[in-house]
């Protein structure tokens, strides 16, 4: 069994997705085919003994679409921003020409001169309308012709026929002196639909951008140790079994096992956990993590596509490709609506022609049917709600990336919080200072420890130094600094040697720590890292460091519960640490000791139980889970990859913003549904009247304008309904 991904050009709606999926699934040897509208790709699993890629390409091209080769796809990706700019330009100029057309027509404005007996205002309306409909709206007509060749119809068909009918009838009316013309109707429809397509184009390409950034994280070179010599080689040349040297501050080139040396390693980019991890001989290290303070040698065990980082890249791509394509509500309804309207318009023209024998009498009601059915309000229904909803969100520090995020967030059962950086601050801070010796003060203990730690590059050392700065303690100079990786540090302050590290480090230096064991155990039970401090041969006390809880995290969990949403905390920490943090935040459902590559699987398991899952994270390792979840919420203070993979981005990183983001997402989506109901409601009520001749095209245009006004007004209600959210 083999899998391939094809890039499809020319898809505009959900019906395009369904048409290509059906064509691919009909091919013998194809076991699965998923077409993703967001990324314009088709992921196909097939038996290569029965079918080849060229058969799939032919099936898609026979449908009227194009398939890119890998070379073309690379060029296409490079020009995606140019394409967005082109779509934006078309929409801008179409609107710029449509607005004066509407003003001239709706205001019944006449200019002070005539051409061939017709007022110049009408000529100007005709020219502007033709430019918008035939020029900037040419893609609608080309789309209609493409579908017609294959005996199908979609929204392009209705838009094309409706705008051409409005333009054609208006030109005929202009020629024969008929007072009712609809130049502005056709121009407004084309311009608004082009605006909607710009919004869609703007949101494309995010998946590939996230994957590219992930791929850039790895080291580009490695130091190969062979025959007692070092040699720098490209990362592609590293083979399993090679021994590699990694100096402080460098990235681990590949996954491997430590064979010499000790150090602390920053694995936060992979695990999301802020605390560095001690590594010694026999321990495993992962590519792209950062060596902090000790030179080590590692033996490569996994290289290339087998490394953990590469597996995360693959999981992001797989999670996005396997998602069912978004079935946009407008396109689903239009699958029935479009052909029905076309049939009604044709029947209307035919019946009136038979009854009256007058072509003009048959054209007018048929055009009325097309005009009232043409999706002007539908063109506004989604963009206006998204514009208002995203505008409100932006003012509140919530970025909703696209309309798909709104559909994904319409119903959420479970919110999974990745602990570090979402529920917690994501950086270690001193939480407790426990003097243990007689006459030892907290300030004396902290000042001495900080003097030593200022010379260390360890993140825990930075937390101790920062705490001393916050207290305004005098800086003492240290000298003769020595670091023992994984254990602690020592330096001379004044005339005495100070030691800061774990209890084993102090005991190995001949300092008794028995009196501190109970205090250290109590602090460690609260999920805190504890360092012991000694001066000379005397134990001074202990300092506890932890990744502190964000102040509003408990309130966020409480508000989610009030909305009927279950909160789950996910962490790579051990069960005891997880339970301690969970108790503080008010979460009893915990997923502890979860490896980075297993986060997406945890989300998937809940989805298999029928739950709609939102995942909140900020780390690189969170990207697959963000992509897998029904709704991915990325903390904006986190990594670019997490932000790219998320559907919603929270700029300020407050857990309360998660509640607000879900509420805003649901409110905006409900507004879109209401807009579509009213847009179609006018059509459904007015089409029979138009077909019976009781609704001329002018009244039809008025009804359409009324539906547009109701849609815009309903969208603006989002602002009023969210005005008091910040006061809750």
């Amino acid at each position: 069994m083999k899998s391939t991904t094809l890039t499809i050009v020319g898809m505009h709606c959900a019906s395009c997705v369904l048409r290509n999926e059906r064509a691919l699934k009909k091919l013998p040897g194809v076991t699965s085919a998923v077409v993703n509208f967001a990324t314009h790709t088709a992921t196909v699993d097939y038996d290569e003994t029965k079918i080849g890629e060229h058969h799939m390409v032919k099936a898609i091209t026979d449908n009227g679409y194009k398939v890119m080769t890998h070379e073309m796809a690379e060029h296409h990706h490079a020009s995606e921003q140019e394409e967005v700019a082109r779509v934006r330009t078309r929409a801008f100029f179409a609107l710029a020409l449509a607005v004066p057309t509407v003003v001239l027509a709706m205001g019944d404005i006449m200019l002070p001169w005539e051409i061939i007996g017709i007022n110049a205002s009408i000529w100007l309306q005709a020219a502007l309308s033709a430019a918008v409909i035939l020029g900037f709206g040419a893609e609608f007509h080309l789309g209609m012709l493409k579908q017609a060749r294959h005996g199908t119809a979609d929204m392009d068909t209705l838009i094309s026929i409706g705008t051409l009918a409005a333009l054609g009838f208006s030109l005929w009316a202009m020629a024969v002196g008929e007072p009712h013309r609809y130049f502005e109707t056709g121009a407004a429809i084309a311009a608004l639909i082009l605006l909607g397509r710009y919004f869609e184009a703007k949101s494309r390409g995010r998946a590939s951008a996230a994957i590219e950034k992930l791929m850039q994280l790895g080291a580009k070179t490695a130091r190969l140790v062979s025959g007692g010599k070092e040699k720098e080689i490209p990362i592609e040349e590293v083979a399993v079994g090679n021994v590699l040297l990694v100096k402080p501050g460098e990235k681990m080139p590949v996954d491997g096992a430590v064979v010499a040396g000790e150090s602390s390693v920053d694995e936060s980019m992979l695990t999301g956990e802020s605390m560095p991890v001690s590594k010694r001989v026999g321990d495993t290290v992962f590519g792209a993590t950062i060596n902090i303070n000790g030179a080590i040698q590692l033996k490569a065990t996994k290289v290339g596509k087998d490394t953990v980082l590469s597996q995360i890249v693959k999981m992001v791509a797989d999670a996005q490709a396997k998602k069912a394509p978004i079935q946009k509500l407008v396109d689903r309804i239009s699958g029935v609506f479009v052909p029905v309207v076309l049939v009604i318009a044709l029947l209307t023209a035919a019946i009136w022609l038979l009854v009256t024998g007058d072509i003009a009498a048959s054209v007018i009601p048929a055009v009325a049917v097309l005009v009232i059915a043409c999706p002007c309000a539908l063109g506004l229904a989604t963009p206006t709600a998204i514009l208002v909803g995203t505008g409100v969100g932006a003012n509140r520090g919530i970025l909703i990336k696209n309309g798909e995020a709104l559909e994904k967030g319409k119903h959420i059962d479970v919110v999974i919080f990745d602990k570090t950086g979402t529920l917690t601050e994501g950086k270690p801070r001193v939480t407790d200072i426990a003097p243990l010796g007689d006459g030892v003060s907290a300030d004396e203990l902290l000042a001495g420890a900080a003097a030593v730690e200022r010379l260390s590059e360890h993140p825990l050392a930075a937390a101790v130094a920062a705490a001393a700065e916050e207290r305004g303690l005098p800086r003492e100079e240290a000298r003769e600094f020595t670091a023992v990786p994984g254990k602690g540090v020592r330096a001379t302050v004044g005339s005495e040697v100070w030691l800061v590290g774990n209890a084993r480090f102090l005991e190995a230096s001949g300092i008794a720590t028995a009196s501190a064991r109970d205090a250290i155990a109590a602090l460690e039970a609260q999920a805190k890292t504890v360092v012991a401090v000694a001066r000379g041969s005397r134990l001074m006390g202990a300092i506890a460091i932890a990744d502190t809880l964000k102040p509003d995290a408990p309130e966020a969990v409480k508000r989610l519960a009030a909305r009927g949403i279950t909160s789950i905390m996910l962490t790579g920490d051990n069960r005891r640490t997880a339970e301690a943090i969970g108790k503080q935040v008010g979460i009893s459902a915990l997923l502890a000791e979860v490896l980075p590559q297993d986060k997406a699987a945890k989300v998937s398991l809940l989805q298999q139980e029928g739950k709609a899952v939102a995942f909140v994270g900020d780390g690189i390792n969170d990207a697959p889970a963000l992509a897998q979840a029904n709704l991915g919420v990325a903390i904006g203070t986190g990594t670019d990859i997490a932000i790219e993979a998320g559907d919603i981005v929270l700029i300020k990183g407050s857990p309360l913003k998660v509640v607000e983001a879900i509420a805003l997402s649901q409110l905006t989506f409900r507004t879109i549904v209401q807009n579509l109901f009213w847009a179609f409601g006018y059509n459904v009520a007015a089409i029979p009247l138009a077909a019976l001749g009781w609704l001329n095209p002018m009244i039809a245009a008025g009804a359409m304008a009324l539906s547009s006004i109701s849609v815009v007004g309903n969208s603006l209600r989002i602002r009023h309904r969210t005005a008091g959210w910040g006061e809750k």
Side-chain angles (χ1 to χ4, degrees):
M1 195 62 63
K2 193 174 181 181
S3 180
T4 188
T5 300
L6 306 173
T7 301
I8 303 174
V9 180
M11 295 195 298
H12 291 299
C13 61
S15 58
C16 301
V17 170
L18 295 173
R19 192 171 299 117
N20 284 310
E21 272 191 0
R22 290 193 191 108
L24 290 169
K25 287 177 178 177
K26 287 179 182 177
L27 296 174
V30 171
T31 57
S32 171
V34 176
V35 178
N36 190 316
F37 179 69
T39 58
H40 283 205
T41 58
T43 302
V44 187
D45 295 329
Y46 64 99
D47 185 343
E48 58 185 321
T49 63
K50 297 181 180 179
I51 191 173
E53 278 194 30
H54 64 282
H55 295 101
M56 304 171 204
V57 172
K58 186 176 185 301
I60 294 170
T61 53
D62 286 348
N63 263 349
Y65 302 90
K66 293 181 181 178
V67 179
M68 288 191 172
T69 62
H70 293 299
E71 292 77 14
M72 291 172 63
E74 289 177 7
H75 174 74
H76 176 71
H77 174 70
S79 62
E80 275 181 348
Q81 293 303 314
E82 295 177 12
E83 175 61 22
V84 171
R86 284 194 293 270
V87 175
R88 181 178 64 240
T89 300
R90 283 200 298 268
F92 173 79
F93 282 109
L95 285 169
L97 297 182
V99 169
T101 309
V102 172
V103 171
L104 289 171
M106 301 304 289
D108 198 21
I109 298 172
M110 293 293 109
L111 298 176
W113 63 87
E114 294 186 350
I115 302 173
I116 320 176
I118 300 175
N119 190 273
S121 173
I122 298 172
W123 283 105
L124 184 57
Q125 291 174 45
L128 294 175
S129 180
V132 174
I133 295 170
L134 301 178
F136 298 112
E139 64 182 67
F140 305 135
H141 317 309
L142 294 173
M144 178 195 69
L145 292 174
K146 181 175 68 176
Q147 299 307 321
R149 284 199 300 270
H150 296 89
T152 59
D154 60 6
M155 287 301 287
D156 274 353
T157 305
L158 192 56
I159 295 166
S160 176
I161 293 177
T163 54
L164 290 175
L167 177 62
F169 179 82
S170 299
L171 290 171
W172 172 82
M174 177 179 166
V176 302
E178 166 68 34
H180 300 305
R181 294 168 298 272
Y182 310 103
F183 291 120
E184 80 286 356
T185 300
I189 291 168
L192 289 167
I193 300 300
L194 286 170
L195 179 64
R197 294 211 169 160
Y198 162 61
F199 292 143
E200 283 188 359
K202 191 177 178 182
S203 68
R204 291 175 193 158
R206 298 188 188 278
S208 58
I211 293 171
E212 282 186 358
K213 288 184 179 180
L214 276 170
M215 294 175 69
Q216 292 170 4
L217 286 172
K220 303 298 184 290
T221 61
R223 298 178 191 273
L224 177 65
V225 178
S226 180
K229 297 181 179 179
E230 297 175 22
K231 179 184 177 183
E232 190 167 300
I233 61 173
I235 196 68
E236 295 80 12
E237 295 182 11
V238 176
V240 172
N242 285 164
V243 175
L244 308 171
L245 172 66
V246 186
K247 296 181 178 180
E250 294 181 343
K251 291 180 180 178
M252 301 295 172
V254 295
D255 294 1
V258 178
V259 293
E262 291 185 4
S263 184
S264 294
V265 176
D266 179 0
E267 295 185 341
S268 60
M269 56 73 59
L270 189 65
T271 66
E273 303 303 327
S274 56
M275 297 296 184
V277 181
S278 296
K279 299 290 183 179
R280 58 192 66 180
V281 174
D283 289 342
T284 300
V285 293
F286 303 99
T289 57
I290 299 173
N291 185 21
I292 296 178
N293 57 4
I296 62 172
Q297 291 185 12
L298 64 91
K299 186 175 183 179
T301 56
K302 293 181 180 178
V303 300
K305 61 182 178 60
D306 295 324
T307 64
V308 170
L309 178 63
S310 295
Q311 291 301 308
I312 289 177
V313 172
K314 184 178 183 299
M315 282 188 287
V316 173
D318 288 349
Q320 290 171 335
K322 290 177 182 177
K323 262 182 190 174
I326 298 298
Q327 299 299 315
K328 304 228 180 198
L329 192 55
V330 175
D331 291 311
R332 287 203 297 269
I333 298 174
S334 70
V336 176
F337 184 71
V338 173
V340 167
V341 169
L342 293 175
V343 170
I344 292 173
L346 289 172
L347 288 175
T348 298
I351 292 171
W352 276 94
L353 183 60
L354 287 173
V355 172
T356 64
D358 185 345
I359 294 178
S362 64
V363 168
I364 291 174
V367 169
V369 169
L370 288 170
V371 170
I372 191 64
C374 214
C376 186
L378 293 180
L380 285 170
T382 300
T384 54
I386 291 176
L387 278 172
V388 177
T390 53
V392 168
N395 289 334
R396 295 176 173 274
I398 301 167
L399 300 182
I400 300 173
K401 285 189 175 181
N402 50 54
E404 292 179 7
L406 302 171
E407 186 165 354
K408 293 173 184 176
K410 64 184 178 183
H411 177 68
I412 294 296
D413 301 307
V414 175
V415 173
I416 298 179
F417 288 95
D418 183 70
K419 176 182 74 70
T420 304
T422 54
L423 292 174
T424 65
E425 296 290 356
K427 56 184 178 182
R429 295 176 60 87
V430 170
T431 58
D432 301 88
I433 302 171
L436 296 174
D438 293 336
V440 178
S441 70
D443 284 354
E444 181 185 9
L445 171 62
L446 182 59
V452 177
E453 296 284 41
R454 285 191 186 97
L455 300 178
S456 172
E457 297 177 352
H458 200 288
L460 297 185
V464 173
E469 293 289 339
E470 289 173 6
R471 288 196 174 210
L473 300 179
R475 291 177 66 98
E476 297 186 56
E477 296 301 321
R479 62 188 187 280
E480 299 173 3
F481 174 84
T482 303
V484 181
K487 296 180 180 179
V489 294
R490 64 161 55 90
T492 301
V493 181
S495 60
E496 294 188 272
V497 175
W498 284 69
L499 294 88
V500 182
N502 58 40
R504 294 191 307 277
F505 175 57
L506 269 64
E507 288 169 355
S509 302
I511 299 168
T513 61
S515 60
R517 285 175 187 167
D518 289 344
I520 290 174
L523 291 169
E524 288 179 340
Q526 300 172 37
K528 297 173 181 177
T529 298
V530 183
V531 293
V533 182
R535 182 176 62 187
S537 60
R538 180 188 180 193
L539 179 67
M540 299 289 286
I543 298 174
I545 304 165
D547 183 7
T548 54
L549 201 65
K550 290 183 177 179
D552 53 1
E555 179 64 19
V557 171
K558 184 178 178 182
R559 290 193 187 183
L560 286 172
R563 299 179 71 88
I565 298 174
T566 301
S567 295
I568 297 176
M569 187 180 78
L570 180 148
T571 179
D573 286 338
N574 58 53
R575 171 64 59 173
R576 188 181 72 170
T577 300
E579 288 176 349
I581 298 293
K583 186 175 181 180
Q584 293 177 43
V585 78
I587 295 178
S588 57
L590 305 170
L591 296 172
E593 300 177 19
V594 178
L595 296 174
Q597 59 267 35
D598 293 337
K599 291 185 178 183
K602 296 295 184 183
V603 174
S604 181
L605 283 174
L606 286 168
Q607 290 172 324
Q608 290 171 26
E609 295 174 7
K611 305 290 187 183
V613 181
F615 186 91
V616 187
D618 74 331
I620 291 166
N621 66 97
D622 297 328
L626 286 165
Q628 176 67 42
N630 299 78
L631 181 69
V633 182
I635 302 298
T637 51
T639 64
D640 288 344
I641 288 83
I643 292 169
E644 290 287 354
D647 302 301
I648 293 176
V649 177
L650 308 181
I651 295 174
K652 298 178 181 178
S654 162
L656 277 175
K657 290 296 178 183
V658 175
V659 186
E660 205 169 307
I662 291 173
L664 181 60
S665 173
Q666 293 172 343
L667 173 60
T668 308
F669 183 78
R670 283 200 306 272
T671 302
I672 291 174
V673 173
Q674 293 164 0
N675 288 348
L676 293 175
F677 172 80
W678 286 110
F680 278 108
Y682 280 102
N683 291 333
V684 171
I687 285 174
L689 300 178
L692 292 170
W694 297 344
L695 187 67
N696 66 36
M698 177 58 75
I699 298 175
M704 199 167 59
L706 184 60
S707 68
S708 299
I709 292 170
S710 68
V711 162
V712 173
N714 191 46
S715 296
L716 292 173
R717 289 176 63 235
I718 295 174
R719 293 178 181 170
H720 301 295
R721 296 181 67 179
T722 58
W725 280 8
E727 301 167 6
K728 292 183 180 179

